[in-house]
Structures are given as structure tokens and as C-alpha cells.
Amino acid sequence: MCGIYMTIQQTDVHAGEKVFAGLKKIEYRGYDSWGVVVLNKFGFTLKKRTGKLSKLGQMHFVEGKCALGHTRWATHGGVTKENAHPHLAKNKSFVLAQNGVVENFQELREQLLDWGYDFDSETDTEVIVGLLEFEMEQQKEQKLTSKIIRSVFRKLTGRNTIAILTQSGDSFAVRDGSPLIVGRSKDSAEIYFSSDVVSLSGDAVEYVVIQSGQMVEYVGKKLKITEVKSGKLVPFSFVPMSLDATVVDKEGYSSFMLKEIYEQAKVLSKVVVGKEKEFKAVAKTIKNAKTVFTLGAGTASYAAGHTAYILRKLGVPAVAIASYESDSFKQLCDEKSVCIVYSQSGETADTNEVVEWMKAKGAKIISAVNMPGSTLTQLSDFPFMLQVGPELAVASTKAFFGQMVWGMTVCELLSGSKFVEIKEIIYKFEQQLRVWFADILVQDKIRKLAESLVHKQHLFVLGRGDLYSSSLESALKLKEISYIHAEGFSGGELKHGVIALIEQGTPVLCLVAEDENKANMLNAISEINARGGFTIVIASKDNELYKEWIEVPELKFRGMSFMTLMSIVPSQLLTCYMAMKKGCDVDKPRNLAKSVTVK
Ligand code: AGP
């Protein structure tokens, strides 16, 4: 959701082109309009457009060594050129781009209107621009200073990250919430500000993550980081870009999503690499907790649901919370509570808000995140990096699998298994998945099924027990990418209402494991068949009841059932193939953003 990319070059006059290329790398965050402003001796030149920049091919900009770019995901005001960022100050002394929402925007806008400010857009962003200009006038300053920015920033409520480029080539950025990274080239001749580390690949060789509540300024070739509230200097050091953070290539796959699905066969073991001590510490903390909450939004909420399910089976009082439905749990949370939080981005506003109130109540926060330097990592007592590599498709696949494996590992440790045994079984699962991906017959079957399902209006996914969360996640994947109306249900829920929707040819994906739920799932399948439904069963063993069978391996190790993951992979593939067939954008589904940083 919204992205910032800014550069200050010492010699290269193609800053505009560099920023345009940078914006393409943060496209995955989700946006509906974009803008690039270039600074040269004649002042600022702005180019703004609605729609996708990737469709435009090569673009040319006026020459200039400094440029600021932004991808906007509309919140205040429609998708128009006028509302796109960056916004130019009326006194032409600076341009500004913002990620976030100014929650007290109406009140501030009215104040500015009273003072005679004339708005050019409907955005909350322009309120910040107006306040900065007003403050410059009050302080009789010709140039924007860090002091002015600090005082205006303190007037804003909500989470906002802003980037500013001034007429004299000074650049400032303040982070509250939405991520902000500063990178520099090998010889320090080029400075970059961006919304994520991945986009800096190819431009910067090292980076520093700006933390929430910090301001960074690059003035007179000097980089300074300060606390926004106090203005106190913050010591910092650059870290080298790691190889993992720079893999932003489709590597021959038609989409990042397809590539990331296939990567599940090699990145899951990374979740546990080098983390034995940390996992054991977390297991101990959970053991001593009075209540364990598991938390996440969307896909991450299903991983949370699954972890809570296995924790309860181990006798741990665990409750799963979907981030946007947390109110009723407030009274149950105290200093004896522990919360396990899943988030790919670590920037989900709904999730981080819950974490904040839980922290205020004294709960311990354990998080499993995939983005280095994210807000959630900062908020956590036990932050874990999932280490599955950048996930660039909007739909989460490998990060979700990483969260599931993280939860399974902790639970297995709690039930007494050795860390080394858990590691081995994860490797084994990866191996099995590689073999399954290479099975041409199964893969062909999935492609053909996708073709036969592509014109269906509705599809249901049934799973029970351990596979209930898997059914919810499978349905979400199908909705998000192929736009088919898919719903996940417990196999047990069928008779209590859902069965009314089954008619001749209604496709129902059924997830069946060789466990205590199998008999009930077979009953459900018979009932669907009896009403003409089309049952497609994902299972390790065939059965005459199945209209279609997608064979998957079923790996178990004590309490760990990898069927929870394996049963989802066919849906991940089905949704990709269906979307491709429909001509949809697999990596950037309509209306969705990778990182949902506003509420
Ligand atoms: C995943 O496919 C979805 N796009 C979405 O549900 C996502 O999982 C959710 O918004 C949470 O994001 P997070 O993992 O970055 O917190």
C-alpha cells in the first residue's frame, strides 16, 4: 500500500529514470496511481499518472540529480492525477510524498482553510504540505528545516511516513509505521530512500532501516538520523545487502506467485536455520503463559488458527484472534499472556494495533515476520525472521507456509521432540514436495481441472480438524487471484446449512487426511455426491467416492502433519492457472495491496 522511492545522485542526471525503475520494484505493494518529480536548476518537474507504470515501458524524465517518486493506493480522494503524489508546495520550495493516513485530517484541513489555504487535491497529504508552508511563513524561513518538519509531524495523528525533497536538494523523511529504508551505493555517491529493502537491489550495496519515530535527513552530503520527538541524534550503521534480500527475479516463471509456490520446496527449512536457542526460549515462555493468543490478518490469521489448534491439542489454553475482531479479547489479556503474531510484512495496521494494546497490558509478544526492519519486529519481545526470502506476489504463499512451519516447530518442541528431529522432517517435506512438483501426471491434472473450473461461479473447500485452517486458506487463495467465489468450511458444517448450495456440478474441493476425521469427511463427500456436486479430493489415498482425486504425499511426524500444507498446494496452483486462463494479473490482483498499512 503506497510506496516511496527517492534518490540523490552526485553526478548522474538520470535520477528520474532511476526512481521510475525503483517504483517498478515496489509495484507489488499495491497502488492505483503514481508520480515522479525531478529537481534541477530550473526547479521541480512533476509527472503523475493514474494506472500501472509497468505497462508504460521506458519513460523519459528531464535531467536532474534528485528525484522523488510515489505509488499511491487511494484512501482520501479518488484515483486522479491531482490526488497522486508527490505534492508540490505552493511556494515551490519542496515536494512531499506520504504513506499512511492523517487521521485528524478534517480538523487540520479546516484550520488551513480558515487560514486561507487553497487545496489542489482531496488528499490528507496536502494537509501536511499546507502545515509545513504555514510554519515556514510563521518562522520566516525560506527553506524547510528539520525543526519545522518535526513540529508539524507532531501535530499529525495516525501512522504516517513522509519523504520530502527541497528546492536546494536537501532530503528528509520521517517514519511512523510504514517502512523506510535508506541505502547507499558503493562509493556513497548515491543515496536512496525506499519503502523496502528489496527495491534497493542493484542500486545500493548497504542500507539502514529507519525505525518508527525517527527522522532521517540528507543535507550537504551528510546523513543524520534523529528522534522525531526529542530531536536527539540516533547512532546508526549501514548493513550490507544480503543475497536473499536481492532476489527479485522471476527466474523463468510466468509470475512471482508461481515462482514462490515452487520455492516452498526449498525455503521452509530456512525457518529453523540457526534458531534453536530462540525457538527453545519461546517454547519455554509459552509453557509458562496463562493464556496464549495467536494473531494475524487474512492468510496470517489462518496460520494463527492452525497454531492455536495444535497448541490446544497439547493442552495449552490458546485462542486465535483475527486482527480486525480483537475487541472482545481485551479483558482476557494481561501480563501473564503471550501473543504469537504472524505477519509477512510486519506492517499490517490491524495487527500492529492489537499488538500495541496487548503490550500495554503487559503481554509478551512473539512474532514471525518476513520483512526485516518492520514495525512488528520492533514491537516484539521475541522477533523471528521467517527467512523464506522476499515474497513479491500480493497473494501470500511461501510466507504463510513459513508461519505454519514456525508454529509446528514450536508445538513439536513443546511436546518433547528434539530440534534436530524437527529440522530433518522439514527437509524431508521439502524433498517430497519437489518430487510432487516434478510429477507430470499430477501437474497436468491440476492444469486440466483449472480449465474446467474457470467458468464456475462458486466453489467450496471442506476440511476438518487439522485441515480446517487449510480449507479457509485454500478458499482465500482461490478468491484473491482467480476471482472465483470460494468459501472454506469445516466438513462438519456442511449439514448445518452449506449443503443447501450444492447442486448439479457445484465444485467442492475436499481435503482428506488419514486421521480421525477421515470417516466424517467421507460422509460429507457422499452427501455432496448424492446432490450432484462435483467432488475433487486432495488426499494421499484414492477412494471410489471421489469424482476427481489429486494425489498428494502425506507426511507425519508425531504431532506434526504436513498434510496441512500439502493439501493447500493444489489450490495455490489451481488459482494461478485459472487466473492465467482468464487473463488476470496473477501477481497484482485487483483492489488488493501486499502490505495493508492503513485500517
Ligand atoms: C494473503 O494472500 C493476503 N493478501 C492477505 O490476507 C494477507 O495475508 C494479510 O493482509 C496479512 O498481511 P501480513 O501477513 O503482511 O500481515
Side-chain angles (χ1 to χ4, degrees):
M1 236 169 215
C2 294
I4 289 171
Y5 203 86
M6 173 158 75
T7 186
I8 296 92
Q9 307 276 311
Q10 297 307 326
T11 53
D12 195 340
V13 291
H14 296 106
E17 282 79 1
K18 289 211 167 204
V19 161
F20 188 69
L23 290 184
K24 281 189 175 174
K25 292 191 254 177
I26 50 174
E27 267 198 298
Y28 73 91
R29 295 172 61 84
Y31 70 104
D32 35 48
S33 56
W34 61 273
V36 173
V37 60
V38 180
L39 174 70
N40 60 24
K41 63 180 179 196
F42 302 110
F44 294 112
T45 308
L46 276 145
K47 202 175 257 184
K48 299 188 192 187
R49 297 265 197 290
T50 56
K52 302 287 179 208
L53 35 75
S54 53
K55 299 214 168 103
L56 299 169
Q58 196 71 20
M59 270 236 138
H60 294 289
F61 295 86
V62 295
E63 292 192 349
K65 292 181 195 160
C66 309
L68 165 62
H70 186 264
T71 46
R72 173 176 186 252
W73 194 87
T75 56
H76 293 61
V79 182
T80 64
K81 210 168 131 182
E82 291 70 34
N83 289 338
H85 308 200
H87 292 277
L88 176 64
K90 296 215 183 300
N91 63 18
K92 310 253 188 299
S93 71
F94 67 90
V95 281
L96 180 146
Q98 168 223 12
N99 289 356
V101 168
V102 180
E103 283 175 1
N104 54 342
F105 132 88
Q106 270 178 324
E107 173 194 327
L108 295 172
R109 191 179 160 97
E110 267 154 39
Q111 251 176 40
L112 282 163
L113 286 170
D114 283 350
W115 295 335
Y117 194 86
D118 187 14
F119 284 90
D120 293 323
S121 76
E122 304 153 295
T123 61
D124 50 342
T125 317
E126 215 189 337
V127 161
I128 315 175
V129 176
L131 288 174
L132 288 168
E133 286 195 71
F134 181 75
E135 204 61 34
M136 280 172 80
E137 263 177 54
Q138 293 292 299
Q139 297 194 19
K140 301 199 173 29
E141 289 281 4
Q142 299 299 310
K143 277 177 77 171
L144 201 54
T145 61
S146 51
K147 195 174 148 214
I148 293 176
I149 298 171
R150 211 173 278 127
S151 80
V152 166
F153 200 80
R154 285 196 294 251
K155 291 185 181 142
L156 312 176
T157 61
R159 291 193 174 280
N160 290 287
T161 293
I162 57 171
I164 300 170
L165 180 63
T166 74
Q167 206 176 18
S168 44
D170 298 341
S171 43
F172 300 90
V174 186
R175 176 184 180 184
D176 183 13
S178 190
L180 180 66
I181 324 289
V182 175
R184 69 179 178 197
S185 62
K186 200 169 164 208
D187 47 7
S188 303
E190 302 163 10
I191 295 289
Y192 298 89
F193 290 62
S194 178
S195 292
D196 76 19
V197 184
V198 180
S199 61
L200 295 173
S201 68
D203 286 335
V205 291
E206 47 186 11
Y207 69 95
V208 54
V209 177
I210 310 303
Q211 309 293 355
S212 267
Q214 292 180 350
M215 169 158 147
V216 54
E217 53 193 284
Y218 187 64
V219 177
K221 294 191 194 171
K222 282 209 178 83
L223 195 73
K224 205 161 100 180
I225 301 179
T226 49
E227 298 280 353
V228 188
K229 275 194 189 147
S230 63
K232 261 212 255 147
L233 269 179
V234 176
F236 67 94
S237 47
F238 279 89
V239 290
M241 298 276 290
S242 74
L243 193 68
D244 268 2
T246 60
V247 183
V248 287
D249 196 86
K250 283 189 197 152
E251 292 170 353
Y253 289 94
S254 58
S255 61
F256 278 111
M257 183 167 172
L258 212 48
K259 177 189 162 207
E260 286 154 12
I261 293 171
Y262 277 85
E263 276 179 345
Q264 294 173 141
K266 64 176 187 195
V267 296
L268 298 181
S269 47
K270 295 191 182 173
V271 173
V272 292
V273 165
K275 295 277 164 65
E276 181 166 358
K277 230 173 69 204
E278 289 85 344
F279 268 105
K280 284 183 173 161
V282 156
K284 199 170 155 198
T285 308
I286 291 173
K287 212 175 191 166
N288 296 330
K290 190 181 86 184
T291 320
V292 179
F293 297 106
T294 60
L295 176 74
T299 285
S301 77
Y302 302 140
H306 180 252
T307 303
Y309 173 87
I310 27 181
L311 281 171
R312 284 192 300 270
K313 283 218 145 184
L314 293 173
V316 178
V319 185
I321 309 179
S323 311
Y324 18 78
E325 288 299 339
S326 63
D327 286 15
S328 61
F329 296 97
K330 276 196 177 152
Q331 297 308 320
L332 302 180
C333 181
D334 59 23
E335 66 290 344
K336 287 184 190 132
S337 310
V338 162
C339 185
I340 298 171
V341 194
Y342 293 132
S343 176
Q344 188 287 131
S345 62
E347 299 299 339
T348 302
D350 291 308
T351 303
N352 290 352
E353 192 182 278
V354 181
V355 169
E356 274 166 4
W357 67 247
M358 283 196 174
K359 261 180 93 77
K361 283 178 159 270
K364 288 263 168 301
I365 308 297
I366 304 165
S367 66
V369 177
N370 200 36
M371 264 291 177
S374 64
T375 306
L376 178 55
T377 306
Q378 279 178 262
L379 292 170
S380 307
D381 301 288
F382 299 88
F384 276 75
M385 267 305 120
L386 288 169
Q387 310 185 114
V388 296
E391 190 181 68
L392 299 180
V394 165
S396 190
T397 51
K398 63 175 179 172
F400 167 75
F401 271 33
Q403 292 156 1
M404 295 282 279
V405 165
W406 189 95
M408 284 154 73
T409 302
V410 169
C411 292
E412 208 43 45
L413 279 175
L414 274 170
S415 63
S417 292
K418 293 203 176 88
F419 196 72
V420 62
E421 295 174 312
I422 300 169
K423 255 168 112 172
E424 269 166 27
I425 201 74
I426 299 170
Y427 280 124
K428 196 162 176 197
F429 174 68
E430 286 182 339
Q431 234 170 38
Q432 274 197 343
L433 192 50
R434 281 199 287 276
V435 172
W436 185 83
F437 279 136
D439 185 332
I440 298 167
L441 287 179
V442 182
Q443 300 306 317
D444 268 2
K445 188 179 241 180
I446 294 175
R447 267 177 235 273
K448 284 195 185 111
L449 269 171
E451 274 172 35
S452 72
L453 294 174
V454 84
H455 299 298
K456 293 281 181 191
Q457 298 277 314
H458 311 282
L459 187 151
F460 302 109
V461 191
L462 299 189
R464 257 188 106 115
D466 213 14
L467 299 187
Y468 174 53
S469 300
S470 309
S471 72
L472 301 178
E473 169 56 9
S474 296
L476 182 63
K477 282 290 97 64
L478 287 153
K479 271 183 241 195
E480 282 187 298
I481 311 303
S482 57
Y483 309 146
I484 191 170
H485 170 230
E487 294 300 338
F489 295 103
S490 160
E493 202 180 335
L494 186 75
K495 286 195 271 299
H496 300 282
V498 188
I499 202 157
L501 297 171
I502 308 294
E503 49 189 38
Q504 198 63 37
T506 305
V508 186
L509 271 179
C510 305
L511 319 182
V512 179
E514 292 299 310
D515 63 13
E516 67 277 14
N517 293 302
K518 184 172 176 178
N520 283 325
M521 279 304 289
L522 291 182
N523 282 344
I525 291 167
S526 299
E527 286 156 9
I528 297 164
N529 287 341
R531 282 149 189 91
F534 178 54
T535 48
I536 306 159
V537 183
I538 300 167
S540 58
K541 289 190 182 149
D542 198 3
N543 188 296
E544 57 186 16
L545 291 174
Y546 307 164
K547 300 262 173 75
E548 278 290 352
W549 173 46
I550 301 179
E551 184 178 5
V552 292
E554 185 163 353
L555 182 64
K556 264 191 191 161
F557 173 73
R558 299 189 186 137
M560 280 173 119
S561 165
F562 285 87
M563 195 55 184
T564 49
L565 301 177
M566 199 57 237
S567 62
I568 297 170
V569 187
S571 299
Q572 295 175 335
L573 291 171
L574 274 175
T575 196
C576 271
Y577 299 147
M578 282 158 73
M580 282 155 75
K581 189 94 190 135
K582 285 182 171 177
C584 307
D585 189 336
V586 172
D587 288 333
K588 294 182 220 74
R590 68 182 177 213
N591 306 336
L592 291 176
K594 181 72 182 160
S595 173
V596 187
T597 51
V598 294
K599 289 199 35 163

